[in-house]
Amino acid sequence: MTDTMADTWHERADGLSIDGRAVIDGERVAAASGAATADVNPATGAVHAEVAALAAVDIDRAVAAARGAFDDGRWSRLSAEDRKVRMLRLADLMQLHADELALLDSLDMGKPVREAREVDVPGAIATFRWYAEAVDKLLDEIPSTPPGSTALVTREALGVVAAITPWNYPLEIAAWKLAPALALGNSVVHKPASVSPLSALRLADLALEAGIPAGVLNVVPGPGGRVGEAIGLHHGIDALTFTGSTAVAKTLLEYSGRSNMKRLSLEAGGKSANIVFADCDDLPGAAETAARGAFYNQGEVCSANSRLLVERRVHDEFVALVAEAARAYAPGDPLDGASGSGALVSRSHADDVWAAITSARAAGSLVIGAERLEIDGSDAFIVPTVVTGLPEQHPLHSTEVFGPLLTVETFETEDEAVAKANATAYGLAASVWTSSLSRAHRVSQRLVAGTVSVNTVDALGLTTPFGGFKQSGFGRDLSLHAFDAYSALKTTWIQFG
Ligand code: NAP
């Protein structure tokens, strides 16, 4: 992108008119208390919006609106084809407003607007299209029953679904949850992350414009400790889908048990290993991809391949290649298309990541990075950092940092590689590089991870399920399996003997 393009994005950002009020029952509304919080651009420290800060009383209102919409059938009892048509219209409107949606995510959480525009927004649009198109092709079942009877096994929408989402892919992860939930006919109450609520609010406007009726999609910004708790404990919510940290996921399990046993689908943290065997026949290509796996989106990716396990005899060669490839992720102004990375989501998160980098540097050997930059008055920019030679038991081998820090370990045998890769509380993703098909299968089978990528990293698509093992949570986003989180099977047995 040229300077002119950067100027254009800055002009577009200056021209945005942002409404930070909640969306409840088809209306833009302030919090009942009138409370609002400043929405800060981490790349500049400037406030770009005031956002309603809701509380339990507002959640009651949103849940009542969602329940009303579900019970009177204005969405839930439309034919699947009717819902499909309106969701496809929503996808078209998202396309029309793609620049705006990309800007809102970039301004909120600091990612390069180019990536938001070329990856996140098209991904969210494709997700709405995919679930819209899938829902009228689902088939129910007629199982075998004794003569004189027949049974129908049907997939039923649950009612009111709440979605609590994180800030690293604000629009795209929201789409992963909202699209299948809405396609089935549920009503939704969506709480976006406090630092990145704007694309979700705008999406709800577009949904109304597309003909998704009032009350069906409600967006309730506010602090997780207050709004998230009110949602987690609410007796009027039938299911809760969450993406975020393992700590909050565990709290949601408690809330569900203390309230109405609402169904949970929990996508939590990760600490994913990228294993490189010496027989990989394209080490330069693997190194470029490993750098992407660790540093894309400022390393703020749940399935980031933040641990590199390299067979000892190619360690030095491979680490040098990764260090070179990491330069492509140098941070800069998120609205400038030349920037390989943007700002971390907030100053306080940048402080936490910086503390981890400082600790890694002290205990290991710095290969590249460990620089914190000030750009446009904000010091939330951190240069991609690679550290090798940390002691085996160092906590950074197993603790999620959620920033641009890659730690490197070595191994001698397959057994050692697998043992090290599996030695965390998480099980979200893992990658393996080898030119041996047998080894690829052998190692993949032994890795405890929801997704194993072979000769790539972070493989993900609309057609394949995404989610974790162990404390990375349970339930799956994406693919037809995502419908399971938002529906239950009903048996209707008819005796006609
Ligand atoms: P987080 O702190 O867990 O927040 C996630 C969401 O939960 C936010 O909307 C947050 O609201 C809300 N929340 C906070 N406290 C809550 C509570 N007590 N009750 C209910 N909700 C509460 O995570 P994050 O910092 O936004 O995101 C980073 C984490 O998400 C990392 O651990 C990352 O691995 C994980 N993640 C996982 C996936 C996946 O698919 N597995 C994808 C992306 C990210 P506030 O913003 O208001 O605090």
Side-chain angles (χ1 to χ4, degrees):
M1 203 182 300
T2 60
D3 281 352
T4 325
M5 284 300 279
D7 291 346
T8 306
W9 281 114
H10 277 280
E11 275 163 29
R12 284 181 187 147
D14 292 342
L16 280 176
S17 138
I18 296 175
D19 187 343
R21 289 175 298 166
V23 179
I24 298 179
D25 211 4
E27 303 287 339
R28 284 292 200 147
V29 292
S33 67
T37 50
D39 195 2
V40 175
N41 178 351
T44 61
V47 173
H48 55 273
E50 292 290 321
V51 177
L54 306 195
V57 62
D58 304 294
I59 303 310
D60 287 344
R61 215 174 131 204
V63 173
R67 176 65 58 198
F70 186 78
D71 287 350
D72 72 16
R74 69 187 86 156
W75 178 250
S76 54
R77 289 204 289 276
L78 291 183
S79 70
E81 196 185 348
D82 274 353
R83 289 198 298 271
K84 169 174 94 172
V85 167
R86 295 177 200 214
M87 286 180 61
L88 290 175
R89 212 180 288 149
L90 170 58
D92 290 344
L93 287 169
M94 292 168 74
Q95 188 67 57
L96 210 60
H97 293 271
D99 287 348
E100 179 190 0
L101 292 167
L103 260 177
L104 293 176
D105 274 0
S106 176
L107 294 176
D108 262 357
M109 56 69 68
K111 72 168 65 193
V113 71
R114 174 179 45 81
E115 284 168 14
R117 181 64 183 81
E118 291 174 8
V119 181
D120 301 24
V121 174
I125 293 169
T127 304
F128 273 99
R129 292 209 167 112
W130 199 86
Y131 284 102
E133 285 290 357
V135 74
D136 65 350
K137 287 135 194 114
L138 295 175
L139 301 179
D140 291 326
E141 299 166 18
I142 303 181
S144 165
T145 49
S149 67
T150 194
L152 313 176
V153 178
T154 50
R155 188 185 277 277
E156 306 285 314
L158 293 172
V160 177
V161 170
I164 299 182
T165 53
W167 45 259
N168 60 339
Y169 288 92
L171 184 69
E172 199 170 9
I173 291 181
W176 290 4
K177 295 172 180 310
L178 270 43
L182 290 171
L184 286 167
N186 294 288
S187 299
V188 173
V189 175
H190 176 202
K191 189 208 113 47
S194 290
V195 293
S196 60
L198 298 181
S199 59
L201 292 167
R202 197 64 190 102
L203 182 68
D205 293 337
L206 298 179
L208 286 163
E209 197 179 328
I212 296 176
V216 172
L217 174 57
N218 306 275
V219 182
V220 291
R226 191 168 75 203
V227 167
E229 181 183 34
I231 287 173
L233 290 171
H234 209 290
H235 284 260
I237 293 174
D238 301 293
L240 170 52
T241 173
F242 168 80
T243 293
S245 61
T246 293
V248 172
K250 288 181 179 180
T251 306
L252 294 175
L253 281 161
E254 281 182 30
Y255 290 159
S256 173
R258 278 167 51 201
S259 55
N260 61 339
M261 259 176 75
K262 56 181 65 63
R263 285 155 185 262
L264 296 175
S265 174
L266 304 172
E267 304 287 353
K271 186 75 183 178
S272 302
N274 185 8
I275 306 172
V276 180
F277 287 96
D279 68 4
C280 164
D281 58 13
D282 178 15
L283 286 180
E288 261 184 43
T289 314
R292 171 161 56 82
F295 301 125
Y296 184 77
N297 208 45
Q298 303 72 241
E300 295 167 322
V301 179
C302 52
S303 49
N305 283 220
S306 55
R307 305 169 61 205
L308 186 56
L309 303 182
V310 189
E311 192 167 342
R312 189 177 299 282
R313 65 198 161 93
V314 292
H315 172 272
D316 293 355
E317 176 189 358
F318 194 74
V319 169
L321 288 166
V322 171
E324 193 48 42
R327 295 183 196 283
Y329 298 89
D333 174 5
L335 300 189
D336 179 345
S339 304
S341 294
L344 295 193
V345 68
S346 64
R347 181 152 198 219
S348 74
H349 184 58
D351 288 345
D352 292 345
V353 172
W354 187 244
I357 287 177
T358 307
S359 139
R361 184 184 189 162
S365 164
L366 178 67
V367 179
I368 191 172
E371 278 179 77
R372 188 165 177 175
L373 306 180
E374 184 166 328
I375 299 173
D376 286 339
S378 162
D379 68 352
F381 297 86
I382 295 182
V383 174
T385 300
V386 179
V387 173
T388 189
L390 286 177
E392 197 149 318
Q393 297 308 323
H394 197 282
L396 282 171
H397 290 316
S398 51
T399 310
E400 185 180 40
V401 174
F402 223 60
L405 171 62
L406 176 66
T407 56
V408 189
E409 297 157 76
T410 55
F411 65 86
E412 304 270 5
T413 64
E414 259 179 45
D415 282 351
E416 189 186 357
V418 168
K420 283 184 169 170
N422 285 338
T424 79
Y426 301 112
L428 190 56
S431 307
V432 184
W433 294 82
T434 175
S435 55
S436 157
L437 191 57
S438 308
R439 170 174 274 161
H441 279 291
R442 248 188 342 257
V443 173
S444 308
Q445 280 180 359
R446 296 176 63 196
L447 290 170
V448 184
T451 300
V452 178
S453 305
V454 177
N455 294 335
T456 184
V457 296
D458 238 350
L460 179 139
L462 278 166
T463 56
T464 51
F466 180 78
F469 285 31
K470 301 198 283 184
Q471 293 186 40
S472 290
F474 51 81
R476 292 292 181 265
D477 284 324
L478 299 175
S479 82
L480 293 176
H481 295 281
F483 282 131
D484 295 342
Y486 311 110
S487 58
L489 297 180
K490 177 194 274 183
T491 298
T492 306
W493 184 298
I494 301 168
Q495 200 68 39
F496 52 83

